[in-house]
Amino acid sequence: MFTCLSLVASASVVLYARAAYPSCTPTVCYTNLYHDFKITPVIGGHRDVALLQIASNSASTCQFRMWIPMLSLTALPHVGGIFGGLITRKEVKTWYTTLNKPSWRPPNAAFPVAWTTLYTGMGYGSYLVWKELGGFTQDALLPLGLYGMQLALNWAWTPIFFGTHNIKLAMIEIVMLTGTVAATMVSWYPISRTATLLMVPYLAWLCLATSLNYCIWRDNPDPKKDD
């Protein structure tokens, strides 16, 4: 009796697999069944046990591969942040201390913490947009293109400000950056509101950084003009 019931159940599983996945190979069918119901049908002895093992391994591999884009896109903004930190680390203790700065500026220790958080948020937001649009498709050209543009502008600010000490050019650049971030958020909103919300703290911080950049430029005139 138990054997008969097992055969009936197994046959039902086979019929479902053929109906749901008509063009799949046996291994792919088992993998899809594993994803759909977390079941492990046995209908043909050792051969099917081997197929089930392959399906289980394939499912684990698929889950691992799903993590790769998320981790990669989330980590991407930190690449420029690390290189920028190498430039900032030296200049913040030398040249930056000689500048006249407003009293309301954030403490130096707040910047690494803030940027680590902001880079992680924007990176994960880009993954959400990427996933919703099915990858780097034609529809992703504008939202991810704007995101890439603002990321390039973000990475360029540190070499301009701390590397070349060109405060005025850095101010112009950060204004462009802030506008590009706002445009990115507008393009993201119809795709993923969560991704857009993750960019809100970033935009707020950029407004603060833009004001700080302006005050430093205003209170530290270029010595070449005074000569």
Side-chain angles (χ1 to χ4, degrees):
M1 181 66 179
F2 177 77
T3 303
C4 292
L5 291 175
S6 298
L7 289 174
V8 171
S10 298
S12 300
V13 169
V14 172
L15 290 174
Y16 171 83
R18 288 182 177 178
Y21 315 110
S23 60
C24 290
T25 63
T27 301
V28 175
C29 285
Y30 278 112
T31 303
N32 291 334
L33 288 171
Y34 180 82
H35 274 299
D36 288 350
F37 303 107
K38 305 300 184 197
I39 62 174
T40 55
V42 178
I43 60 176
H46 297 293
R47 177 176 176 273
D48 292 305
V49 171
L51 286 174
L52 289 171
Q53 184 63 43
I54 295 172
S56 178
N57 293 337
S58 299
S60 299
T61 301
C62 290
Q63 290 176 352
F64 175 73
R65 289 178 178 176
M66 290 174 60
W67 282 86
I68 295 177
M70 185 189 72
L71 295 176
S72 300
L73 291 173
T74 302
L76 178 61
H78 293 276
V79 175
I82 292 172
F83 285 105
L86 297 176
I87 300 174
T88 305
R89 185 178 303 176
K90 176 183 177 182
E91 297 296 329
V92 77
K93 297 178 181 179
T94 55
W95 171 73
Y96 189 68
T97 60
T98 66
L99 297 176
N100 297 317
K101 297 177 285 293
S103 59
W104 50 263
R105 75 185 186 282
N108 293 339
F111 286 87
V113 176
W115 280 115
T116 299
T117 304
L118 297 174
Y119 279 143
T120 302
M122 75 172 78
Y124 184 71
S126 71
Y127 163 73
L128 294 178
V129 173
W130 175 87
K131 184 178 69 171
E132 288 293 328
L133 296 177
F136 296 106
T137 60
Q138 186 69 25
D139 293 336
L141 183 61
L142 179 62
L144 293 183
L146 287 171
Y147 171 76
M149 184 183 301
Q150 71 82 23
L151 194 58
L153 289 170
N154 181 293
W155 290 348
W157 184 87
T158 298
I160 294 173
F161 186 87
F162 285 103
T164 67
H165 302 170
N166 195 327
I167 303 174
K168 182 178 180 180
L169 180 59
M171 184 188 69
I172 296 172
E173 202 266 4
I174 200 171
V175 170
M176 295 173 58
L177 168 59
T178 305
T180 307
V181 170
T184 302
M185 294 173 64
V186 171
S187 69
W188 282 14
Y189 187 77
I191 304 167
S192 173
R193 295 186 179 182
T194 302
T196 307
L197 290 174
L198 287 171
M199 296 284 278
V200 171
Y202 178 35
L203 183 62
W205 182 266
L206 283 178
C207 291
L208 175 66
T210 301
S211 301
L212 179 59
N213 196 153
Y214 168 76
C215 291
I216 293 176
W217 170 71
R218 180 195 61 193
D219 299 336
N220 296 271
D222 190 346
K224 295 180 181 179
K225 294 182 179 181
D226 298 336
D227 295 340

